[in-house]
Amino acid sequence: MMKPIKRLPSADWQTDDLHELWAEASAESLGTEFVAIHAFLDYCRLLQDVRDSFLVQDRQSPFDRVFFFLRGGYFAFAYLNMTFELLDRAVIFGGLNHGGQPVDRLKDYLRKLASAARDQGKRRLRLLLIDEVKSGTGMGRALNIIEGVLREDEWRDAIDCDLTFYAIRPGQKMTSELEGAAKRWSGARRNRAPGLSIAIAHFAGHLPGYDDDRRCGIKRTSDNRDPQKNYDLVKHATGKVRFVCNRAKPRIAFAQLERQCLVEFLSNLAVWLTNKPTGSIISSIQFGVESRGCEHCRQCFTEVRKRSSATSGFQFG
C-alpha cells in the first residue's frame, strides 16, 4: 500500500482554500476506476519536464512568486510543492473568467508586490505563472491583467518585471490560436509596459484532470456571472484504481484508494515514481509492466524511472 503524502499547509490562497474545503467535504465511493498506464506515465513525464525546467531556472535566478490558478494549475502546485516546498512563494488565485473578485485580487496582489519591492529598494520582480492552456485565451487574459497593472503611472517607470509563463496543454498538438497568442506575448513589451519582458515555456502531455471534475477533484460551484469563483471537492472514501495497458489491455497493477480525490492519488503516485527510488506500489507497477505490459509500457516506465530525482522537500507520513 502506498504511504500517503502529508497534506501540506496552504499556500497564499487568494480564493477558496482547498485544504479547508477538504476538511468539510463529504466522501463518496469511487468504485473502480480504470487508468491507462501509458497516459499516466506520460503525465509523470510531463511533471518531470515542469520540475526540471523549474529547478534550472529557479537556481539560476530565483522566482519572487509562483502563481497558480484554479482549477488548471492545482495539479502542478501539488506536485511542485511536494518537491520544492514552495509555500513561501506560491500564490493561488481563482479562475479569471469570472468578472470581479478573482481579477481584482490579482491586480491588488500585484500592486502590493510592486509596492513592497519598491520599499525594499528593488527595481525588478521575477514572476512565474503556471497554468493549463488550450486556445491561449486564458493565458492572454492573465498576461493582459499583469501588463495593465505595470502600465499604471505608479509602476510604469518604477518596477521592471521578468515574467515566465509555463503553458501546459493537454495532448501534443498546439492549436493555431495558442501558437498565435504565444507569439503575440513573447518578448519585451517596450511599447506597452516598458519594464515587462515575457518568456513562454510550452509543456504538453496527458492531463488526467483536464475538464473532468471526478479526476481533477475540484468542482466549480459558481458560474461566470458570479463575482467570486467558488469550489467544492470531490473526495472518495473507498475504491480501487486499476492500471491497464493501453494496447494489450491486461491489468498492470491496482491500488486501494482511501479518503483521497482521484487526482491527488495519481499525483501522490507521480511523486513517488519521479522523486523516490523505491516503494511497494512502484514495485507492483514495475512487475506488471515487465510481465504483462507491451514494449511501449516498458519504454515509458524505464524513461520515467531513469529521470527520477532524489530532490529533497517532499514529505511522507
Side-chain angles (χ1 to χ4, degrees), residues 192-210:
R192 299 183 63 83
L196 176 61
S197 180
I198 298 173
I200 299 174
H202 295 276
F203 302 87
H206 176 69
L207 297 173
Y210 188 82

Side-chain angles (χ1 to χ4, degrees), residues 239-285:
K240 291 182 179 180
V241 178
R242 295 186 180 273
F243 293 94
V244 296
C245 172
N246 303 48
R247 297 177 181 175
K249 300 298 182 185
R251 189 189 77 192
I252 299 297
F254 78 93
Q256 196 75 27
L257 191 71
E258 295 184 2
R259 303 198 68 80
Q260 291 176 291
C261 56
L262 182 59
V263 76
E264 186 174 60
F265 167 82
L266 295 176
S267 295
N268 188 334
L269 181 55
V271 170
W272 275 72
L273 274 168
T274 62
N275 286 293
K276 192 174 175 65
T278 59
S280 59
I281 185 64
I282 307 305
S283 299
S284 176
I285 291 177

